[in-house]
Amino acid sequence: MGRKLLLTHDHVEGIQGYAAYRANGGYRSVEKALKKMTPDEVVEEVKKSGLRGRGGAGFPTGMKWSFLAKPEGVPRYLVCNADESEPGTFKDRYLMERIPHILIEGMITSSYALGANTSYIYIRGEYFYVARILENAIAEAYANGWLGKNILGTGYNLDLYVQVGGGAYICGEETALLESLEGKRGNPRIKPPFPAVAGLYGCPTVVNNVETIAAVVPIVNDGGDEYAKIGIGRSTGTKLISASGNINKPGVYEIELGVPVEEFIFSDEYCGGIANGKRMKACVPGGSSVPILPDYLVCKTAAGEDRLMTYESLSDGGFVSGSMLGSGGFIVYDEHQCIVRNTWNFSRFYHHESCGQCSPCREGTGWMERVLHRLEKGEGHMSDIDLLVDVAKKIEGNTICPLGDAAAWPVAAAIRHFRHEFEYHVLHPDKIKDPKHGYREPIMPVKPEPVTA
Amino acid sequence: MAEVIQGTRAFNPSTRAGIQFSEEALKTIEALMKRYPEGKHKSALLPVLHVAQAEADGWLSPEVMDYVAELMKLQPIEVYEVASFYSMYNLKPVGKCVLEVCRTSSCWTRGAEDVVDYIGKKLNIREGETTADGMFTLKTVECLGACGGAPMLQCGAEYHENLTEAKIDSLIERYRAEGRRKCYTDLDYQNTK
Ligand SMILES: Cc1cc2nc3c(=O)[nH]c(=O)nc-3n(C[C@H](O)[C@H](O)[C@H](O)COP(=O)(O)O)c2cc1C
Ligand code: SF4
Ligand code: FES
């Protein structure tokens, strides 16, 4: 059993409520930080911990915090990103629903470290019932003196609010989120300026993911060095993984970074293997935006080493033979899933969610969706395959925000590893016209022959 | 992507006659606006539109949006452009229960299309349509963050996961019996102040 830092008390009766949370050591980090540490000392512990942003990009949190501008007389804000809309990701919801107070506690400790006196949790509108759970937890925290004026008699003031969104994946992108929090359309801003300098209402702002903020609690309690002992290299601590798709035990698992991918998929402690005794065909290890991997690259790298659940190991091989840890949205596909169909599904998602500001993204995502749909219906041409690669390349790197890349990568990766399956769709339209064609005739990935020098 | 608002026209206070939110909703809206710094109350627009939608039979007509603009002291266009950007705001009337089935990858691989087909046949509507009695609307939506419980659907504030035909049957029966639209209205926003 791996160590747990966030879900330690997951199964304690009543842990959703304040009394049980407090009885199990809750809010110690606030006491410690406010009474015994300066804000800079808290930032220092977070730096030492090596914690990297859990929202997807993996940027070192301590470094991000130290970039926060601190002009005199200007308020600073901490905004928690609870938009969680990356397909395959549902860990933040699980955490907020089961142990809402760990997020509230993390928000207080982190707001103190950053010198924020007003903080917001921006949560996707669909998580409405979770927003209510958070509202209740916040009310309990106010009632017990953890929020409001002069917290613990230290003179530190903090107000914390939840804001619900309106349904838009793009509002997970931090500058779109800030626009949305200001009551506007979720159009990402051009950077720079970065939020650390001009964020919410033009003031210095830190935006962090739910899990990142929650991780500050054990880091302050036990010290950054202790946290950094878990994991491998620059992947420290624990990570929540949302496991879904064709596995026996879908759900949220807290892992120590460094667990072998093979163990994660096949052991009973985690996913419990592929459902219905089937074979694994492919895996998207970090949410829909990261490259898909064919079976032979999931548990082993191209060099034949065991792949581990770390930022570095999952991206080993770059985009040629690797992927990314991303948000930890781990989706497994069995032999009967059609990759063309799935790629079309993702494309439709990105087209639907493009905010429409940049033409490569707005037009390109729609174009990819239409071409993929045509291929999936058995009406495609061979030239469509390279057309898709071409469109993906033209979107990549040419947009205001990374949604464009996120739309391009899955398509490029699917064609890179499953080209023969795309070709099969063109060559056998009769078979493809059956919408359940994936089930009739499994097409497994073809491992390329090693090139001998 | 953004939808076009049908029937948008010049701001005309007289068209709001007859629209009036409940006392509770008005109080909630006022409290919501207080959550932001002086002069930044526009920030409350997204949550306020959810309240408005719940008060206005589940959708935002141009008149309702004008009313929201007046309540929040915003220009109507500021409200229209937000309402048309986000997928949760309905710009056309919807049934008393909107069944939103997730159609994204994890749910798709575990039978989301069969769920849509089953509900469609059972209620005799296609995706995007509302039953003749105005009770149910069937929609497909993108990932709702419940991929581990695939296939799933959302109705109002409720999530229903690991759907089976039997589960769908009893769900529809319950909703029909309740005949309700219950969603954003029952939030006690005053909690934090
Ligand atoms: C299109 C897009 C969607 C994103 N969605 C989310 C999200 O739902 N949740 C999240 O925490 N970060 C999301 N991010 C990443 C955020 O922009 C940002 O990097 C993150 O909130 C920073 O927090 P962290 O450093 O704690 O990870 C998204 C980024 C992009 C480009
Ligand atoms: S890349 Fe797409 S989502 Fe991002 S700003 Fe441009 S159009 Fe909008
Ligand atoms: S894919 Fe359906 S909830 Fe995520």
Side-chain angles (χ1 to χ4, degrees):
Chain A
M1 280 286 275
R3 261 176 76 182
K4 289 190 169 51
L5 299 178
L6 305 182
L7 301 181
T8 331
H9 302 297
D10 191 15
H11 293 293
V12 172
E13 176 98 28
I15 196 72
Q16 237 196 19
Y18 175 75
Y21 183 74
R22 178 73 175 141
N24 283 279
Y27 288 97
R28 270 187 305 140
S29 78
V30 178
E31 283 175 317
K32 184 170 173 187
L34 268 60
K35 288 189 169 162
K36 298 197 188 117
M37 297 167 80
T38 64
D40 285 344
E41 282 168 351
V42 179
V43 176
E44 210 40 52
E45 288 307 317
V46 173
K47 271 193 186 161
K48 274 196 239 162
S49 73
L51 174 66
R52 293 166 68 178
R54 303 298 195 220
F59 191 81
T61 306
M63 202 189 295
K64 185 187 238 182
W65 285 15
S66 60
F67 288 158
L68 185 68
K70 296 182 175 160
E72 267 310 303
V74 178
R76 303 192 277 277
Y77 294 101
L78 171 63
V79 176
C80 173
N81 188 342
D83 194 58
E84 191 168 71
S85 314
E86 172 91 353
T89 315
F90 47 99
K91 63 181 177 85
D92 295 340
R93 166 175 164 240
Y94 183 88
L95 187 65
M96 293 186 287
E97 184 178 341
R98 301 293 274 262
I99 319 181
H101 279 284
I102 197 170
L103 176 60
I104 311 302
E105 176 175 357
M107 284 299 284
I108 301 168
T109 305
S110 307
S111 298
Y112 171 74
L114 297 166
N117 297 112
T118 308
S119 296
Y120 295 96
I121 299 171
Y122 180 96
I123 186 168
R124 67 180 296 186
E126 294 90 341
Y127 282 1
F128 172 68
Y129 78 96
V130 187
R132 280 194 81 175
I133 292 172
L134 291 177
E135 298 269 4
N136 288 333
I138 289 175
E140 286 181 313
Y142 269 103
N144 289 282
W146 301 102
L147 282 168
K149 296 249 174 306
N150 193 17
I151 300 168
L152 302 179
T154 60
Y156 177 62
N157 306 329
L158 177 66
D159 282 313
L160 177 59
Y161 303 102
V162 177
Q163 153 138 352
V164 290
Y169 167 66
I170 192 57
C171 290
E173 194 282 331
E174 56 185 8
T175 60
L177 184 152
L178 295 173
E179 286 287 299
S180 184
L181 187 48
E182 292 180 5
K184 301 180 203 151
R185 295 167 82 96
N187 289 335
R189 299 174 181 170
I190 293 175
K191 297 193 254 190
F194 288 91
V197 175
L200 185 62
Y201 311 126
C203 302
T205 303
V206 166
V207 181
N208 271 135
N209 174 256
V210 171
E211 187 188 345
T212 312
I213 302 269
V216 171
V217 172
I219 288 171
V220 168
N221 281 337
D222 306 330
D225 289 331
E226 204 51 38
Y227 187 87
K229 280 186 196 155
I230 303 175
I232 296 177
R234 289 178 56 236
S235 297
T236 59
T238 64
K239 172 90 188 85
L240 299 178
I241 305 290
S242 323
S244 69
N246 308 116
I247 46 175
N248 279 318
K249 291 167 55 196
V252 175
Y253 298 100
E254 181 169 11
I255 60 159
E256 288 188 16
L257 284 169
V259 169
V261 174
E262 181 155 13
E263 179 182 340
F264 184 71
I265 298 177
F266 293 99
S267 84
D268 281 335
E269 195 182 334
Y270 304 113
C271 303
I274 312 303
N276 306 312
K278 294 191 197 180
R279 288 179 294 174
M280 169 168 63
K281 175 172 182 177
C283 172
V284 172
S288 61
S289 306
V290 311
I292 189 168
L293 293 173
D295 59 350
Y296 57 89
L297 287 174
V298 176
C299 302
K300 298 266 185 221
T301 65
E305 283 164 17
D306 281 346
R307 216 188 267 285
L308 311 176
M309 301 285 280
T310 62
Y311 292 93
E312 293 74 22
S313 182
L314 280 169
S315 57
D316 186 292
F319 279 8
V320 177
S321 62
S323 183
M324 280 154 76
L325 178 63
S327 64
F330 197 93
I331 316 174
V332 177
Y333 300 94
D334 70 26
E335 57 193 298
H336 288 135
Q337 305 307 320
C338 168
I339 297 298
V340 178
R341 201 170 167 67
N342 191 63
T343 312
W344 168 46
N345 184 288
F346 280 153
S347 270
R348 182 174 66 179
F349 171 82
Y350 289 106
H351 181 216
H352 184 260
E353 301 298 337
S354 166
C355 84
Q357 279 192 113
C358 333
S359 21
C361 171
R362 182 186 61 236
E363 303 302 325
T365 52
W367 197 358
M368 291 195 301
E369 183 200 336
R370 287 189 301 276
V371 173
L372 280 159
H373 193 193
R374 163 160 105 208
L375 282 164
E376 169 53 20
K377 280 189 299 188
E379 295 168 7
H381 313 286
M382 266 314 169
S383 58
D384 283 346
I385 303 173
D386 285 328
L387 176 65
L388 284 169
V389 175
D390 193 45
V391 176
K393 262 199 204 122
K394 288 191 169 122
I395 301 174
E396 200 183 335
N398 292 321
T399 57
I400 293 176
C401 90
L403 185 139
D405 302 339
W409 293 343
V411 175
I415 295 177
R416 190 178 310 120
H417 299 301
F418 300 89
R419 184 177 272 268
H420 73 290
E421 191 168 338
F422 283 80
E423 289 171 356
Y424 186 91
H425 277 65
V426 178
L427 295 173
H428 302 280
D430 46 320
K431 291 194 173 137
I432 295 305
K433 288 214 157 46
D434 174 354
K436 298 255 179 206
H437 54 260
Y439 287 84
R440 308 273 182 266
E441 212 168 316
I443 309 177
M444 289 300 279
V446 180
K447 188 172 178 176
E449 290 299 320
V451 191
T452 41
Chain B
M1 255 202 296
E3 264 184 75
V4 176
I5 301 177
Q6 299 295 328
T8 308
R9 73 254 157 303
F11 183 52
N12 175 2
S14 65
T15 59
R16 292 191 317 282
I19 300 176
Q20 179 67 45
F21 291 169
S22 67
E23 268 312 302
E24 197 200 348
L26 292 174
K27 260 199 220 139
T28 300
I29 289 172
E30 211 163 290
L32 279 171
M33 292 199 287
K34 289 210 182 97
R35 293 178 160 198
Y36 307 91
E38 195 67 36
K40 305 293 183 196
H41 65 273
K42 181 178 173 179
S43 277
L45 183 51
L46 273 73
V48 167
L49 283 176
H50 284 306
V51 175
Q53 187 157 282
E55 288 282 305
D57 206 24
W59 73 290
L60 300 171
S61 64
E63 291 78 10
V64 168
M65 289 189 275
D66 289 351
Y67 181 57
V68 168
E70 188 186 82
L71 288 174
M72 291 186 70
K73 302 194 176 57
L74 300 173
Q75 293 301 318
I77 183 69
E78 296 178 86
V79 180
Y80 300 164
E81 61 181 14
V82 164
S84 61
F85 185 85
Y86 297 93
S87 65
M88 292 178 77
Y89 305 120
N90 302 310
L91 303 177
K92 292 186 204 110
V94 290
K96 293 247 175 284
C97 280
V98 185
L99 303 171
E100 300 181 298
V101 184
C102 169
R103 67 179 191 188
T104 316
S105 185
S106 301
C107 285
W108 233 31
T109 57
R110 293 179 82 106
E113 284 173 303
D114 297 337
V115 169
V116 174
D117 283 350
Y118 183 74
I119 299 177
K121 285 210 184 86
K122 188 176 166 79
L123 298 176
N124 197 21
I125 45 175
R126 275 178 312 191
E127 190 192 322
E129 292 179 347
T130 301
T131 51
D133 61 359
M135 191 60 208
F136 293 100
T137 300
L138 175 60
K139 267 172 81 172
T140 56
V141 295
E142 299 295 351
C143 179
L144 289 168
C147 332
M152 63 83 62
L153 69 77
Q154 175 169 32
C155 181
E158 293 181 7
Y159 270 47
H160 300 282
E161 304 182 29
N162 299 307
L163 294 172
T164 57
E165 293 187 355
K167 256 192 195 172
I168 296 169
D169 288 344
S170 68
L171 195 68
I172 288 179
E173 205 170 303
R174 171 158 75 82
Y175 281 144
R176 203 191 299 279
E178 290 171 357
R180 61 163 181 169
R181 163 173 285 114
K182 192 168 160 190
C183 183
Y184 286 80
T185 34
D186 51 356
L187 178 62
D188 179 9
Y189 278 108
Q190 271 85 32
N191 262 346
T192 54
K193 272 281 170 194

